Amino acid sequence: MARRNNRILKAVPPSPPPPGGPPSGPTPPDTPQEGTSGRQLFEELGVSGVRHFGGQIFEEIIKELQGSQRYKKLKEFRENNDTVGAIFFVIEQLVRGVQWKIVPFDQTLQADVDQATFISEVLFEDMEDAWPQHVVAAMDANLSYGFAYHEIVYKVRGGDQPQDPNRNSKFDDNRIGLRRIALRPADTLLRWDLTEQGDVLAFRQSAIYGASERTIPIDKALHYRFRTTKNNPEGKPLLRSAYPSWAYLKGIQTAEAIGISRNCEGLVIAWVPPATLDPTTEAGKQKPAFEKLVTSIGMNEQRGIVYPLAYDKSNNKMYDLTLLTGGGDGGFAAGSAEAITRYQHSIAQSVLAQWLFLGMESRGSYALSTNMTDLFSQAVNSILDEPTSIVNSYLIPRLLRLNGMDIARMPKLAHSAVTKSDFTMVSTMMNTLASAGFDVVGQFPDLLNWVGKELGIPRPEQEDLAEE
C-alpha cells in the first residue's frame, strides 16, 4: 500500500504590535504557507493558454480563417451577405441613438465637476472626428473582426492654430487633449508583441504604400475586444458561430445562380471523338476549348453556340451537345430556396436577430416581435458597456495623469440605454399604483422629469413655472 505523505504546516505566531499601536494603511499579507515564496505571492505563475508563436495567434479551428487570409474572409462575410448587413445596420442605428456623458466623481464638489468638464471637452468637443463617429467605427470593426485597435493621437490645446494640427484646438489652456483616436484596421495587422501570459505589448502594422513597418505600443492605444476568452488579443467576431452557415449558404446561392443561368435544365455534356480526350494527339488540342464551352454555357451571352458538324463513316455525329436533366427545375429551385431561407435564419438566430424575418412568413406576432427586439436591444446595450469600460479604465486616467489632475477622483464615461422605455407598460404601472392609493408624483418627484425626457417633451422654463 502506498504511504501517504502527510505534511504538517507549522503555525507562525503573529508579530507583536509596534509601540504606539498598529501601523496605518493596508495590513501586509500573512506569512506564506509552505510551497509559496514571498516573491511568488505577487507573481502570475500560470498562463492564459492562448496559443501564439512569433506574434501570430493560433486559436482558430476553421482553416480558411487562419493566417493572413482570416480578415479577408471575415470582410467578405461582413459585406457580401444581406442578412449580416441587416444585422450590422440595425446595430449601427441603435448605437447612433445612444447619448453619452461624463459623470463627475462627486457632483457636489466643484473640483470634480471641473475634471468632468475637461474630459467632456476632450472627447465630445475637440477631436477631429466626432465621438459618435468613433464609437460607430469602433463597434463595426470590433464586431466584424473580434477586435478594434486604435492609436491615441494627443495634442496640446493651443487655441486656433489650423496650420498646426498638433496644437489646433477650440481651447487655449495648453492642456493635453486628443487630436483623434485613429483606427488601425485588422487587415493591416502583421503580428503582435505579446508577453508570456498573452498580454499585448504592441500592434505591429504591415507596410502600406511603401512605408516601413509601424509599431503602436499598447500604452498609446485603445484595444477593444469582443469576447476575451484566453485573453486572446484578437477576440472573437460577433457572427463567428454563423460563419459555417454562411459558407454553406454562399455555395448554395452560387449553385442556384448557375442553375438559373442554365435555366435549371441540367448538366451540359459535350460528346466528342475519343481522340479529343487524348492530349498526345492532334485532336486532343481541342479539349480545352470544349471544356470551356460546357462550363460557360448558360442563359446569357453564351446562349448561342458555334459547333462543328461532322459525321463518321457510319453516318453518326462525331460531335454533339446534350443536357443531362434531373427532373426539371422545380425540385431544384424549391430545394435551394428552402435551404437558403434556413441558413439565413440560422445566421440571424446566432445573434438573437431572427425577428428580422417576422412578417415575411405566415407566422409571428406583435408580442413576439416586441420580446425579440427588446432582447436584441439589451444585448447591444451590454456590448456598448465594453468600450465604455475600456475608456474609463485606460483613456481617462491617462489624460488626467498627463495634465496633473487627481486620478483618485476620476470622472466616468456613461451612455444612455439603447432603446426608449415601453411607455404602455410604464403608464399601466403608474395607473395601477395611483389606483392603489399611492401618491406617485409626490413619492417619486423626479418621475415626471424622466417621463418628459424619454418622450422628448421639453422642460418648462423657470419663468413659465413662476407665472403659473
Side-chain angles (χ1 to χ4, degrees):
M1 179 181 294
R3 183 179 178 182
R4 293 186 61 186
N5 184 15
N6 294 323
R7 296 181 177 183
I8 300 176
L9 300 179
K10 296 181 179 180
V12 180
S15 301
S24 60
T27 303
D30 295 336
T31 302
Q33 298 296 316
E34 183 177 337
T36 304
S37 67
R39 183 177 179 182
Q40 288 177 332
L41 189 66
F42 300 100
E43 288 182 349
E44 186 173 354
L45 302 180
V47 295
S48 66
V50 62
R51 292 177 291 179
H52 62 93
F53 180 79
Q56 304 293 327
I57 305 299
F58 298 95
E59 286 293 327
E60 182 53 65
I61 60 176
I62 296 181
K63 187 175 182 180
E64 63 184 30
L65 291 181
Q66 299 173 356
S68 59
Q69 63 181 347
R70 171 179 176 83
Y71 298 110
K72 181 180 179 180
K73 286 293 184 181
L74 289 175
K75 184 176 182 180
E76 181 185 5
F77 179 33
R78 164 68 177 86
E79 298 183 358
N80 284 357
N81 182 267
D82 48 1
T83 303
V84 174
I87 292 171
F88 274 85
F89 177 79
V90 172
I91 292 176
E92 178 181 339
Q93 300 312 308
L94 290 174
V95 171
R96 287 186 183 275
V98 169
Q99 302 297 317
W100 298 87
K101 64 179 179 180
I102 302 296
V103 182
F105 185 85
D106 186 345
Q107 295 186 5
T108 64
L109 295 180
Q110 187 59 43
D112 292 347
V113 173
D114 290 343
Q115 285 201 155
T117 301
F118 168 70
I119 297 297
S120 179
E121 291 172 353
V122 170
L123 294 182
F124 303 152
E125 301 181 44
D126 204 31
M127 287 201 300
E128 292 180 354
D129 299 325
W131 176 257
Q133 182 179 345
H134 162 72
V135 174
V136 169
M139 288 285 289
D140 185 80
N142 194 20
L143 300 182
S144 297
Y145 304 112
F147 75 95
Y149 201 89
H150 289 76
E151 180 180 356
I152 304 173
V153 184
Y154 297 97
K155 69 178 180 183
V156 176
R157 308 204 313 178
D160 186 18
Q161 300 189 42
Q163 73 282 357
D164 185 359
N166 291 327
R167 294 187 61 85
N168 187 37
S169 173
K170 296 179 181 179
F171 307 93
D172 58 0
D173 52 13
N174 286 322
R175 287 176 171 176
I176 298 176
L178 296 179
R179 178 182 168 190
R180 64 161 65 109
I181 306 175
L183 175 65
R184 302 306 173 214
D187 56 4
T188 66
L189 171 65
L190 185 62
R191 64 183 182 275
W192 299 96
D193 286 351
L194 303 171
T195 66
E196 183 181 355
Q197 283 77 18
D199 295 327
V200 175
L201 296 175
F203 178 98
R204 300 273 185 166
Q205 193 174 27
S206 60
I208 301 176
Y209 305 125
S212 59
E213 176 186 315
R214 304 297 179 92
T215 300
I216 306 169
I218 190 63
D219 59 2
K220 197 178 181 296
L222 287 181
H223 185 199
Y224 303 131
R225 287 180 293 174
F226 183 70
R227 301 192 182 104
T228 57
T229 305
K230 288 188 175 182
N231 198 26
N232 187 346
E234 297 181 358
K236 186 177 181 181
L238 173 69
L239 290 168
R240 168 59 185 80
S241 58
Y243 186 88
S245 295
W246 171 76
Y248 291 126
L249 174 62
K250 178 184 174 183
I252 294 172
Q253 287 178 321
T254 302
E256 183 187 54
I258 294 173
I260 292 175
S261 69
R262 293 180 176 176
N263 204 24
C264 298
E265 290 289 344
L267 182 66
V268 181
I269 301 177
W271 300 91
V272 296
T276 307
L277 304 179
D278 187 354
T280 62
T281 64
E282 186 67 23
K285 297 180 180 179
Q286 302 175 4
K287 180 181 177 183
F290 285 107
E291 290 177 341
K292 183 178 180 180
L293 174 66
V294 297
T295 56
S296 62
I297 188 172
M299 301 296 289
N300 49 32
E301 66 273 8
Q302 291 293 326
R303 188 172 183 179
I305 302 173
V306 178
Y307 213 66
L309 181 62
Y311 296 88
D312 59 15
K313 296 179 181 180
S314 301
N315 205 30
N316 296 319
K317 286 184 179 181
M318 296 179 61
Y319 301 91
D320 201 0
L321 195 67
T322 61
L323 291 172
L324 181 63
T325 62
D329 63 342
F332 175 84
S336 64
E338 181 181 353
I340 287 172
T341 300
R342 183 173 69 252
Y343 284 121
Q344 285 176 331
H345 285 202
S346 179
I347 292 172
Q349 188 176 0
S350 68
V351 289
L352 306 176
Q354 59 269 36
W355 48 268
L356 287 170
F357 298 96
L358 293 177
M360 297 182 184
E361 302 170 351
S362 57
R363 61 176 180 267
S365 64
Y366 173 78
L368 180 61
S369 67
T370 300
N371 292 336
M372 287 183 175
T373 54
D374 286 348
L375 191 58
F376 184 82
S377 298
Q378 292 175 21
V380 175
N381 195 76
S382 64
I383 290 174
L384 269 179
D385 291 339
E386 192 271 340
T388 304
S389 66
I390 294 295
V391 170
N392 287 328
S393 299
Y394 297 99
L395 181 60
I396 294 180
R398 292 174 188 173
L399 285 169
L400 295 180
R401 290 191 186 100
L402 287 172
N403 289 280
M405 295 182 176
D406 187 2
I407 193 175
R409 305 186 67 81
M410 184 178 68
K412 297 285 188 179
L413 175 68
H415 65 84
S416 64
V418 168
T419 56
K420 300 295 184 182
S421 304
D422 184 350
F423 283 100
T424 301
M425 183 181 300
V426 172
S427 61
T428 301
M429 177 193 68
M430 292 175 64
N431 286 331
T432 303
L433 292 174
S435 300
F438 283 91
D439 182 8
V440 178
V441 177
Q443 294 181 355
F444 303 97
D446 294 331
L447 180 60
L448 291 182
N449 290 335
W450 174 79
V451 172
K453 183 178 179 181
E454 291 291 308
L455 289 175
I457 301 174
R459 294 184 60 183
E461 298 292 338
Q462 293 297 326
E463 297 177 357
D464 298 335
L465 294 175
E467 291 178 1
E468 293 179 2

